[in-house]
Amino acid sequence: MTARSNRPELAELRKMLHIAPFHRWLGLDIVDLTGRELILEMPWRDEIVSNPMIGSAHGGILSALIDLTGLYTVNALGGTARATADLRVDFHRPATSGPLRAIGSVVKLGKQLSVAETRIEDSAHRLLASGRGAYVG
């Protein structure tokens, strides 16, 4: 990985994240950044429910959370990600209430393409969804 001096600070990452109205609407917040992971949280919103019978979130919201976490993980850990080139998502169980926690880690930092993995957990640390994104630098 690249030197720590090339990595943005947490406050700078939060500012970048909140530029987009969609990110603000989701209520996204970067809660932690380590040498290996970026952790985003999203509060529960009734507007994301797509199956009112069980009260589960729409898969597109989980996919967006995986995509955004991967992109910001690459940027936070020394790479450059400007756009998504490919995204793969697996849904493991319904997201039914409570905050969503997305944990991203870098698979590869490249000059033209970087890859990150993300897992989404509920407040009980159960795996809800996971995915991998490739990002153009």
Side-chain angles (χ1 to χ4, degrees), residues 9-23:
E9 296 296 323
L10 195 54
E12 183 182 350
L13 286 169
R14 283 187 177 125
K15 185 176 178 182
M16 289 169 42
L17 179 69
H18 293 141
I19 289 172
F22 180 60
H23 305 169

Side-chain angles (χ1 to χ4, degrees), residues 89-104:
V89 177
D90 293 309
F91 302 101
H92 305 287
R93 69 178 349 131
T96 54
S97 67
L100 300 173
R101 186 176 185 88
I103 302 106

Side-chain angles (χ1 to χ4, degrees), residues 44-91:
W44 187 261
R45 299 177 58 113
D46 288 338
E47 296 91 344
I48 69 171
V49 172
S50 69
N51 184 339
M53 297 297 285
I54 62 171
S56 63
H58 190 280
I61 295 293
L62 299 177
S63 298
L65 188 53
I66 286 170
D67 184 25
L68 292 169
T69 302
L71 185 138
Y72 279 91
T73 298
V74 168
N75 286 328
L77 295 177
T80 302
R82 291 189 172 81
T84 306
D86 189 47
L87 184 66
R88 159 77 189 189
V89 177
D90 293 309
F91 302 101

Side-chain angles (χ1 to χ4, degrees), residues 113-126:
L113 197 70
S114 294
V115 178
E117 291 181 333
T118 299
R119 63 188 190 278
I120 299 176
E121 299 176 348
D122 63 11
S123 57
H125 303 288
R126 292 177 297 199

